[in-house]
Amino acid sequence: FEEIPMRWDWPVDVTYYESKAFCRWKMETDGGSPTSRPYRVLTEAEHHIIRPDEHNLDAARSSSAADKVMVTSGAQFSHGPTAANLNMAFSSHNPVDSFPPSHTGHHDTVGNAWEWTEDHFNPLKNFEVHHVYDDFSTPCFDGKHSMIVGGSFMSTGDEASVFARFHFRPHFLQHSGFR
């Protein structure tokens, strides 16, 4: 083995509990946030706002081409205006500033690492159980499953879609982080 310098520009995999603990530590260390509001994990709605305009729900509802997984192979995910580390584009994490920022100035809002949200996993409006997947989502509408969004480098197929939102227990690691 050899010692290599720490790369501070790569994502860190953490559980939901670890992300919450970091926010508390940061508040105590800084004596508060610059906005006087507490540091916290984003909500699902906030995460959708910081995504690139070309890679969000509204764009994908207008044109399936805006949901890159519908029209692009894994090798091509790292190219173009919606470049992201999804669909095994790099087969591992990569630096969070590898691609241009979104219109809000945020890097890495999709791909690389799933992002924990403050939301529990709940059904969306007009949710209906599909007979083939009757035990996939509904058991997780229990207030015990936190939600992850944005996908990771390992996300393929529907997990790489702009519509992807998944449920995990807050103590699990799933190529997940926070901002």
Side-chain angles (χ1 to χ4, degrees):
F1 291 107
E2 64 182 277
E3 191 173 310
I4 59 172
M6 178 68 170
R7 293 288 310 256
W8 294 107
D9 57 350
W10 284 55
V12 176
D13 286 334
V14 295
T15 68
Y16 174 75
Y17 293 134
E18 291 166 334
S19 65
K20 296 287 287 180
F22 178 85
C23 291
R24 283 191 303 275
W25 172 83
K26 185 76 171 153
M27 282 295 292
E28 292 169 10
T29 302
D30 290 357
S33 73
T35 63
S36 300
R37 292 189 302 236
Y39 289 113
R40 62 174 176 77
V41 176
L42 293 177
T43 65
E44 179 185 19
E46 290 167 333
H47 189 269
H48 285 288
I49 291 169
I50 66 171
R51 288 182 178 188
D53 286 335
E54 306 84 7
H55 195 252
N56 66 28
L57 298 176
D58 289 336
R61 287 181 180 121
S62 297
S63 168
S64 62
D67 194 357
K68 204 165 189 167
V69 73
M70 302 297 285
V71 295
T72 309
S73 70
Q76 295 303 311
F77 262 77
S78 61
H79 304 289
T82 58
N85 188 7
L86 284 163
N87 217 22
M88 300 293 289
F90 293 101
S91 300
S92 75
H93 290 301
N94 66 317
V96 297
D97 58 358
S98 295
F99 304 112
S102 69
H103 63 284
T104 58
H106 294 86
H107 285 272
D108 219 25
T109 57
V110 291
N112 222 9
W114 286 99
E115 293 195 31
W116 291 105
T117 70
E118 285 287 357
D119 305 294
H120 284 124
F121 188 67
N122 290 301
L124 296 173
K125 183 180 177 185
N126 299 323
F127 170 81
E128 293 181 18
V129 176
H130 189 279
H131 71 280
V132 176
Y133 298 105
D134 62 348
D135 63 346
F136 182 73
S137 296
T138 51
C140 300
F141 300 149
D142 59 5
K144 297 178 183 175
H145 288 77
S146 296
M147 195 160 56
I148 55 175
V149 295
S152 79
F153 71 92
M154 292 289 296
S155 298
T156 59
D158 65 343
E159 289 183 359
S161 169
V162 297
F163 296 101
R165 56 194 300 272
F166 285 93
H167 43 81
F168 275 89
R169 297 295 295 265
H171 60 283
F172 282 19
L173 280 173
Q174 185 62 29
H175 305 296
S176 51
F178 67 105
R179 66 178 61 247

